[in-house]
Amino acid sequence: MTHMSMSYLSLIVVTMVIGMGASWYVNRQINKYLHVPASMRVTGAQMAEMMLAANGVHGVQVYRGGPQQDHFDPRNNSITLDPDAFGGTSITAIATACHEAGHAIQFAQGYAPMKIRGALVPAVNFASNAWVFLLMFGIFMQLSGLTTLAIVMYAVVVLFQLVTLPVEFDASRRGLAYLKTQGISQAEQGGAYSVLRACALTYVAAALTSILQLLWLLQSRDE
């Protein structure tokens, strides 16, 4: 029990360091280019619409969201950008907008990893809320079958996060490729790349911490 407690404490410390490090780096890169104006002088919302039109994708609404609300919603085929990205003309604004437009283009073109990710959503929504209760109940009642089921459910959550990685990387790749066609300078391309790489790091960090958690669960079950 003491060994398990110490190993879990170590896991918590490691995952906290990973999460805090990723968060610090992301905020640093976003803020660094948040006040650097792009030479195109178009807002993030306009940039998203331009990229969608250039890829033959129509009917996608671009909305102004709250702070740090940047996402594409396939349920209503819409893009939401936070105030700085929606109305701003900075490197961060246009890079963020192109990334979310990249998701909309993936959806329109039936990008396979996005379809797989979408198919996993119902199972993940259930598993992410239920696995910990099953685990605790299984441990308390000493029911190995329940703890195994809980670990399997958590593995589904980890799989979802792993499938998310190529979806996010590809959206950034599409966004950067479009920005290059717009004739922005090498310095601006480098800034946009830094912003999108930093944002991708949050998904990498989340996947890594989940994998570590899963490995700990598997090891603990065998002890």
Side-chain angles (χ1 to χ4, degrees), residues 16 20 60 70 80 82 95 104 114 134 142 160 208 218:
M16 283 183 61
M20 292 173 63
V60 179
D70 299 301
T80 298
D82 83 345
M114 174 173 268
L134 280 179
Q142 295 185 337
F160 178 80
L208 179 57
L218 291 170

Side-chain angles (χ1 to χ4, degrees), residues 14-15 24 52 61 72 92-93 101 128 141 163 166 199 201 216 220:
V14 170
T15 54
W24 172 83
L52 291 170
Q61 297 296 315
F72 168 72
T92 293
S128 61
M141 298 298 294
V163 172
C199 292
L201 183 61
W216 183 87
S220 299

Side-chain angles (χ1 to χ4, degrees), residues 116-132 152-164 210:
I116 295 171
R117 183 179 184 274
L120 288 171
V121 167
V124 170
N125 286 340
F126 175 76
S128 61
N129 294 318
W131 79 270
V132 69
V152 170
M153 292 174 69
Y154 187 69
V156 173
V157 177
V158 176
L159 175 62
F160 178 80
Q161 292 181 329
L162 291 175
V163 172
T164 295
S210 294

Side-chain angles (χ1 to χ4, degrees), residues 8-9 23 35 45 51 82 85 110 113 117 125 127 141 147 160 179 183 211 220:
Y8 191 67
L9 179 61
S23 179
H35 303 293
M51 180 173 167
D82 83 345
R117 183 179 184 274
N125 286 340
M141 298 298 294
T147 57
F160 178 80
L179 286 172
I211 290 171
S220 299

Side-chain angles (χ1 to χ4, degrees), residues 26-42:
V26 169
N27 290 331
R28 182 173 181 273
Q29 294 302 314
I30 288 177
N31 291 330
K32 179 179 179 181
Y33 294 99
L34 184 60
H35 303 293
V36 178
S39 58
M40 294 183 66
R41 290 294 192 276
V42 297

Side-chain angles (χ1 to χ4, degrees), residues 134-153:
L134 280 179
L135 180 67
M136 297 303 294
F137 188 73
I139 293 174
F140 180 76
M141 298 298 294
Q142 295 185 337
L143 298 173
S144 60
L146 276 185
T147 57
T148 298
L149 178 59
I151 293 173
V152 170
M153 292 174 69

